[in-house]
Amino acid sequence: MDVGCGPGLLENRLASRFGRDRLVGVDIDRDMLVVAGSEGVMDLIRGSSACLRFRDGSIATAVSSASLKDWGDRIGGLREMERVLRPGGTAVVYDFITAGPGFRPEGFSRRFGIVSEILRRLMASRMPFSLDDANRLLGELDGIDAALEVEEDLGALRITIEKRA
């Protein structure tokens, strides 16, 4: 399951890794789902991260990339991802740090180009999201096995949720 799948940018990568399994993309934006549907690799569901339309324990693996900062209910979305995971399942949530320490990683624009740097700065003005914000989220996930890691060269963070068996 790809929560906040947007235009399906991860779709082919997920299909190459989990090819014979069913892939499901979830996004609240109808236009993004239309674009994602053009590849035809994933089943698509319009919905919110805070209210995933799956049974408890029905998903083996969940991912989310660059959408956590956009969720209206971040805690609700992370709790929902944990709820739908099978025992022993894993959810991995990546997002960019767009405010505070870690926002401007050294060498980022040299490595990824000026367009990436401009997009990063635009996102910072639209949706600030800091390492402190991520730490507060984890602090509110009582009873959920979650860990936070920072990828300093990308100015990104990764939250991993493991569903206890």
Side-chain angles (χ1 to χ4, degrees), residues 22-53:
R22 180 176 176 214
L23 297 176
V24 179
V26 177
D27 204 289
I28 200 159
D29 188 323
R30 186 182 322 262
D31 294 334
M32 288 290 115
L33 292 173
V34 168
V35 175
S38 67
E39 291 289 322
V41 178
M42 282 194 297
D43 293 326
L44 299 168
I45 296 174
R46 185 165 188 244
S48 166
S49 59
C51 186
L52 297 172
R53 293 185 248 172

Side-chain angles (χ1 to χ4, degrees), residues 4 16 21 23 27 30-31 35 47 49 60 68 71 76 81 88 90 96 98 102 104-105 130 134 143 152:
S16 69
D21 295 330
L23 297 176
D27 204 289
R30 186 182 322 262
D31 294 334
V35 175
S49 59
L68 175 64
W71 297 356
M81 288 180 82
T90 302
F96 291 102
T98 60
R104 292 191 173 144
S130 70
E152 293 178 10

Side-chain angles (χ1 to χ4, degrees), residues 143-155:
I144 293 176
D145 186 8
L148 174 67
E149 296 177 60
V150 177
E151 296 189 20
E152 293 178 10
D153 61 327
L154 292 176

Side-chain angles (χ1 to χ4, degrees), residues 43-120:
D43 293 326
L44 299 168
I45 296 174
R46 185 165 188 244
S48 166
S49 59
C51 186
L52 297 172
R53 293 185 248 172
F54 298 92
R55 291 185 319 269
D56 294 1
S58 62
I59 302 292
T61 305
V63 298
S64 181
S65 179
S67 72
L68 175 64
K69 67 187 163 310
D70 301 320
W71 297 356
D73 181 0
R74 295 172 182 158
I75 290 293
L78 292 172
R79 286 187 183 284
E80 276 290 277
M81 288 180 82
E82 193 271 343
R83 178 188 67 77
V84 301
L85 283 176
R86 290 179 188 155
T90 302
V92 181
V93 179
Y94 283 94
D95 216 325
F96 291 102
I97 299 168
T98 60
F103 164 57
R104 292 191 173 144
E106 188 175 325
F108 182 86
S109 55
R110 272 192 319 277
R111 184 172 174 200
F112 299 104
I114 192 67
V115 173
S116 294
E117 182 63 27
I118 291 168
L119 291 173
R120 182 181 196 77

